[in-house]
Structure formats: structure tokens, C-alpha cells
């Protein structure tokens, strides 16, 4: 009766999409000579309803990413009420210091630490919240145009050191988005170099968050441990989503 279909239809659609993405990840790992369990699939659920997060949880996905603190908070509340509580929440958006408190209280992994001021704000907020927050340094891989967030590769060692020294933050690794119009292979190869340098200074910081719907294969080939997949799993977002 309803043109929008039922919750069961949506769950079936998500199950099919998840199976297709999983097949891509399996093939990419095989091509790269990597074990499937070296790579985590993180569902980027921004703009999609909490019901989708709940469906993905029942389909076995445990990692969820959002890019806006307020939207993430509302979705977490809805998931909690729906009983979907054993999820790891990732924050992947540009983060203003005035949202650091909310993010430190509610998220588990912050992928987008790109300046020292943010390290200070997150550390104070995590201390207040009595939490320990895993953090990744977001690297700007744009060659000449300063992109949408991310620290220049030359700034990464100092940021990594600041995170590592913060008592309530844990330096977990690095994150990047392949610049628009770039060759993802070339971009993720550069990220791998930055990631290796961070690991030399901080052996525990092994996470490499890279790869989205369009370029996850290239990311796996260059050592990604966390793929952030939105549209391939959930369908197309409304414009400006
Ligand atoms: C939206 C988003 C993604 C997912 O992109 P898709 O193309 O939908 O897979 C990954 N990373 C970040 C930082 C995002 O904002």
C-alpha cells in the first residue's frame, strides 16, 4: 500500500547492499594479499534514519559513522531506545571546538582531528566526561588546494605527538579522503607513507581510515584498516547530504 515500502523491504535492501559491498571487500583483500579480518567496514549513516542503523546492526555491522555531532546524538538516542546498543560510533566530519564536548561524551572514535586546538578541546572534554577517546589524525592529501579539512602531511607528526601526550585521548592512526578528481591509488599511496611514519614514532597507532564507496579497492590495496562506506551500503543521499 505504501509507496515507501515496509521496514522489512528496507532491511532486505540493506542486506543485499551489504552482501555486495562485502563481496567487493573480500575481492579487494584477496587482490592485495590481505586477510579479510584486517579490514573493518564502517557504515556512514549520515542523513539516513536511525532505523537503518538498527537494521545494519541486526545484519551484523557494528561500526557506524556520522559527520555531524547533533545528528549523531539524536541517532544514538533512537538506537538506544530501539535496543541497538553494542555499536561503535565513529565521527568523520569536520569538527568545531564548540562541538568537542558532545563528541567526547558520545562518540568512540574521532577520525577528523586536524589541528592542535581541537586536541586541547577534545582532551578537556574527554577528561570532563571521564572517557578515553580514540583519535585519528586527518591528513589532507590535496597537492596544492587546501581541501575540506585535514592537516598537511608536514603537520602530522606534531599532531600525532600532541594526541599521544593527551591523557584522555589515544592516538589510533590516520584518516584521509581522496581529493576530488585525484587518482585514489596515488592519494592512498601517499597516505600509506604518512601512516608508516606515524607508526614508526607510535607503534600502537595502526589504524588507517581510507576508502569510501567509490574507491574502497584502492584503499585496501594501500593498507586501509577501516573503510568508510555510505552510498554503496545505504543508497544515494539527498543532494548536500
Ligand atoms: C560521507 C562520507 C563518507 C562515505 O562516502 P560514500 O561515498 O557515501 O561512501 C566517507 N567518509 C567521509 C568523511 C564522509 O563524509
Amino acid at each position: 500500500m505504501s509507496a515507501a515500502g515496509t521496514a522489512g523491504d528496507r532491511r532486505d535492501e540493506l542486506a543485499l547492499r551489504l552482501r555486495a559491498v562485502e563481496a567487493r571487500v573480500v575481492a579487494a583483500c584477496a587482490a592485495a594479499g590481505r586477510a579479510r579480518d584486517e579490514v573493518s567496514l564502517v557504515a556512514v549513516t549520515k542523513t539516513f534514519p536511525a532505523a537503518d542503523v538498527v537494521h545494519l546492526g541486526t545484519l551484523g555491522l557494528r561500526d557506524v559513522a556520522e559527520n555531524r555531532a547533533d545528528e549523531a546524538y539524536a541517532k544514538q538516542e533512537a538506537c538506544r531506545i530501539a535496543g541497538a546498543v553494542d555499536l561503535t560510533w565513529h565521527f568523520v566530519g569536520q569538527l568545531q571546538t564548540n562541538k568537542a564536548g558532545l563528541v567526547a561524551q558520545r562518540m568512540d572514535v574521532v577520525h577528523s582531528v586536524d589541528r592542535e586546538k581541537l586536541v586541547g578541546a577534545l582532551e578537556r572534554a574527554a577528561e570532563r566526561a571521564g572517557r578515553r577517546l580514540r583519535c585519528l589524525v586527518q591528513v589532507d592529501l590535496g597537492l596544492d588546494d587546501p581541501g575540506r579539512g585535514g592537516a598537511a602531511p608536514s603537520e602530522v607528526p606534531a599532531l600525532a605527538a600532541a594526541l599521544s601526550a593527551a591523557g584522555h585521548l589515544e592516538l589510533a592512526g590516520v584518516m584521509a579522503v581522496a581529493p576530488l578528481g585525484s587518482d585514489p591509488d596515488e592519494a592512498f599511496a601517499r597516505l600509506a607513507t604518512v601512516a608508516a611514519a606515524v607508526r614508526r614514532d607510535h607503534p600502537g597507532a595502526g589504524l588507517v581510515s581510507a576508502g569510501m564507496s567509490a574507491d574502497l579497492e584502492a584503499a585496501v590495496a594501500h593498507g586501509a584498516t577501516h573503510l568508510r562506506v555510505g552510498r554503496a551500503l545505504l543508497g544515494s543521499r539527498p543532494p548536500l547530504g
Side-chain angles (χ1 to χ4, degrees):
M1 200 183 97
S2 156
T6 65
D9 291 340
R10 179 59 172 161
R11 187 177 183 281
D12 290 347
E13 182 195 340
L14 292 174
L16 278 177
R17 287 182 173 281
L18 176 57
R19 207 181 309 161
V21 170
E22 178 59 27
R24 285 176 64 191
V25 177
V26 166
C29 285
R34 301 181 64 196
R36 170 64 187 89
D37 66 7
E38 291 176 34
V39 179
S40 298
L41 187 56
V42 181
V44 182
T45 50
K46 64 187 184 198
T47 77
F48 289 96
D52 282 353
V53 181
V54 174
H55 286 318
L56 288 171
T58 67
L59 292 167
L61 259 180
R62 286 289 162 266
D63 290 283
V64 179
E66 290 286 333
N67 71 338
R68 290 183 188 171
D70 302 303
E71 183 182 346
Y73 178 79
K75 226 169 274 186
Q76 274 188 336
E77 287 305 291
C79 285
R80 198 168 51 78
I81 289 162
V85 290
D86 50 349
L87 299 168
T88 298
W89 289 84
H90 299 255
F91 190 83
V92 301
Q94 280 193 60
L95 183 51
Q96 304 304 318
T97 49
N98 64 354
K99 298 287 182 183
L102 189 53
V103 165
Q105 279 170 39
R106 305 298 302 230
M107 306 305 278
D108 301 301
V109 189
V110 181
H111 291 230
S112 46
V113 178
D114 62 358
R115 56 201 191 279
E116 302 243 6
K117 199 176 160 197
L118 197 49
V119 176
L122 284 170
E123 166 63 12
R124 286 187 297 278
E127 180 171 22
R128 267 199 308 278
R131 299 189 75 220
R132 211 176 141 76
L133 206 56
R134 275 175 283 160
C135 293
L136 309 186
V137 177
Q138 183 176 348
V139 185
D140 181 4
L141 296 174
L143 281 181
D144 17 60
D145 69 313
R148 305 168 300 163
S154 62
E155 299 166 349
V156 171
L159 267 175
L163 281 172
S164 168
H168 299 82
L169 306 178
E170 181 187 327
L171 171 66
V174 297
M175 175 274 214
V177 178
L180 226 60
S182 73
D183 173 2
D185 251 312
E186 195 256 341
F188 293 143
R190 256 182 294 138
L191 179 64
T193 305
V194 175
V198 168
R199 272 199 309 276
R200 266 197 303 280
D201 293 343
H202 312 276
L207 268 56
V208 180
S209 167
M212 320 200 311
S213 294
D215 55 20
L216 69 86
E217 285 82 3
V220 170
H222 292 285
T225 64
H226 287 68
L227 308 173
R228 308 177 311 270
V229 178
R231 288 168 299 176
L233 276 176
L234 289 132
S236 55
R237 287 182 294 273
L240 300 179

